[in-house]
Amino acid sequence: MKLAYVTSAYNETLNLEELHRRCRLAWQSLAKDVKSETGQELGFQMVIADNYSSDDSLATLQRIIAGDPDVIGIANAANYGPEASVANALQHARDCDLVVVLCSDLQDPPELSLAMVRRLLQEERTDAVLAIKRSSAGGPLLRMARRGYYRVLGISSRLQLVPSGFHGFGCYRSEVVDEVLRYWEESAGLNLRMCMVNACQSPTRIEYRQADRTRGDSSYRGPAYVLEATKALLSADAAASRLALSIGSAGMAVAMVVGVVLLVNYFSGNSQYQGGVPTVMGLVLMSFGIQMLMFAVMSRQIESLRMSGFRPRVRSRLIQVSRGQDG
């Protein structure tokens, strides 16, 4: 058996070595348990993709690779964003039996992988363990914004709903990883966390509290965070069609309510309208409702056509370092 830890890094030079150390310690504990319980060896692999960092992350990654031959380093040719970078990194872990996906900023505790892996080893029918943030770091306004974002993102998936508080952190069997990559490659509207949720057939969930960031700067701060969230929502596979359907449904409901009120006032004698005016207004409202319905249907069809697009390919190279004779 082989266990892989997969992550993407952008300006995380202060966190990468600590992340590698903690992942190694978690694996050592798991390897002992697997050896004593099943007699099997548990191999280790770690895939770290540097997403064109502007700090010393690439040099730090080269040091890690020089000291640990089980670490695969990837240098992206540009900053493709965390999701595309992680999806590309997953390609190098497809031969592993279990894959842990986590952020490189240490806010996703590597130690939680112990409970995830043990659960998958004990429950053969479970194909993934999804980590759900019970509470996240940051101030009250930021936490409220995150909850709202996760909720809206969850309902914008045309297939399975994305759990609120899930951002990809979890442990997945190899067949799930293959399905994640298939979804990612064949659909233009599913973001990575949607691919992960939809690729699972019988997942289980585990809650955790997100740790505060103590070192390094977040990739998303202020306007950049809002921009990235907006892009994710607008590119969701069902966001546009469901928004259009909501607008159309609301427009039809308003038209019906206003029409009924006008008719009731007219027949009860409380209306000051002259003859024929209610009829004209009713026709206008009916036309408005039909237009809203057509708007929703056409938007849904356009969204289906948009789903046939293609994602840009991530250009990257494997990092090669020279090791001594004892390396």
Side-chain angles (χ1 to χ4, degrees):
M1 293 179 60
K2 184 185 287 187
L3 170 66
Y5 291 85
V6 176
T7 188
S8 174
Y10 178 73
N11 291 349
E12 296 290 354
T13 185
L14 298 177
N15 294 320
L16 285 178
E17 290 178 313
E18 176 70 10
L19 175 68
H20 169 254
R21 184 186 68 83
R22 289 169 62 177
C23 287
R24 265 296 189 182
L25 289 176
W27 165 80
Q28 288 175 1
S29 179
L30 287 168
K32 291 180 181 178
D33 291 346
V34 172
K35 182 68 173 179
S36 62
E37 294 175 7
T38 67
Q40 286 185 297
E41 299 289 341
L42 181 65
F44 174 84
Q45 181 173 301
M46 189 169 188
V47 184
I48 305 175
D50 178 66
N51 206 15
Y52 205 67
S53 298
S54 58
D55 65 355
D56 294 330
S57 293
L58 189 58
T60 302
L61 181 52
Q62 289 174 329
R63 288 199 304 271
I64 295 173
I65 297 171
D68 190 342
D70 294 322
V71 176
I72 297 175
I74 302 172
N76 291 345
N79 185 352
Y80 296 101
E83 294 200 339
S85 182
V86 169
N88 185 56
L90 282 173
Q91 298 281 0
H92 299 272
R94 299 184 83 155
D95 62 334
C96 298
D97 301 277
L98 300 173
V99 178
V100 175
V101 178
L102 73 170
C103 292
S104 59
D105 56 12
L106 300 179
Q107 291 188 283
D108 296 340
E111 294 76 15
L112 195 61
S113 65
L114 276 71
M116 294 179 180
V117 172
R118 286 166 180 161
R119 196 153 182 177
L120 287 180
L121 294 178
Q122 294 169 1
E123 303 173 7
E124 294 183 359
R125 294 185 178 181
T126 302
D127 60 0
V129 179
L130 310 181
I132 310 297
K133 288 189 291 187
R134 183 175 62 252
S135 59
S136 57
L141 290 178
L142 181 59
R143 292 199 300 270
M144 184 173 64
R146 283 185 182 137
R147 283 196 296 269
Y149 166 69
Y150 282 126
R151 192 170 299 276
V152 174
L153 182 66
I155 63 176
S156 65
S157 173
R158 189 172 292 126
L159 302 177
Q160 299 184 51
L161 297 183
V162 178
S164 179
F166 172 71
H167 68 276
F169 182 28
C171 186
Y172 310 87
R173 295 191 189 274
S174 58
E175 58 268 24
V176 176
V177 173
D178 290 337
E179 279 293 283
V180 170
L181 293 174
R182 185 178 70 85
Y183 273 116
W184 177 260
E185 293 166 358
E186 296 181 2
S187 70
L190 290 173
N191 61 41
L192 189 60
R193 72 189 72 185
M194 288 178 179
C195 294
M196 289 175 166
V197 171
N198 292 321
C200 301
Q201 296 298 321
S202 54
T204 188
R205 303 180 185 182
I206 187 171
E207 292 187 344
Y208 77 105
R209 185 191 182 283
Q210 187 184 55
D212 294 330
R213 173 185 277 270
T214 58
R215 292 181 292 186
D217 295 324
S218 174
S219 302
Y220 303 122
R221 301 176 63 184
Y225 184 87
V226 176
L227 179 62
E228 184 65 23
T230 303
K231 286 168 56 180
L233 292 176
L234 292 179
S235 63
D237 67 326
S241 58
R242 287 185 175 168
L243 178 61
L245 182 61
S246 300
I247 294 174
S249 301
M252 292 178 62
V254 171
M256 290 181 60
V257 171
V258 174
V260 169
V261 171
L262 288 175
L263 287 175
V264 170
N265 285 340
Y266 178 74
F267 287 113
S268 63
N270 296 325
S271 174
Q272 301 300 318
Y273 296 127
Q274 297 179 359
V277 173
T279 302
V280 173
M281 296 186 67
L283 290 174
V284 171
L285 290 171
M286 184 183 298
S287 174
F288 175 73
I290 293 174
Q291 291 178 39
M292 289 294 100
L293 178 60
M294 292 175 61
F295 173 62
V297 173
M298 290 178 62
S299 177
R300 176 64 179 83
Q301 293 173 343
I302 293 172
E303 188 70 11
S304 296
L305 293 174
R306 190 181 71 86
M307 287 286 290
S308 61
F310 296 94
R311 297 183 187 274
R313 293 295 180 185
V314 175
R315 293 174 49 244
S316 61
R317 62 178 176 83
L318 291 179
I319 299 173
Q320 304 290 339
V321 297
S322 59
R323 298 187 176 92
Q325 294 182 352
D326 295 331

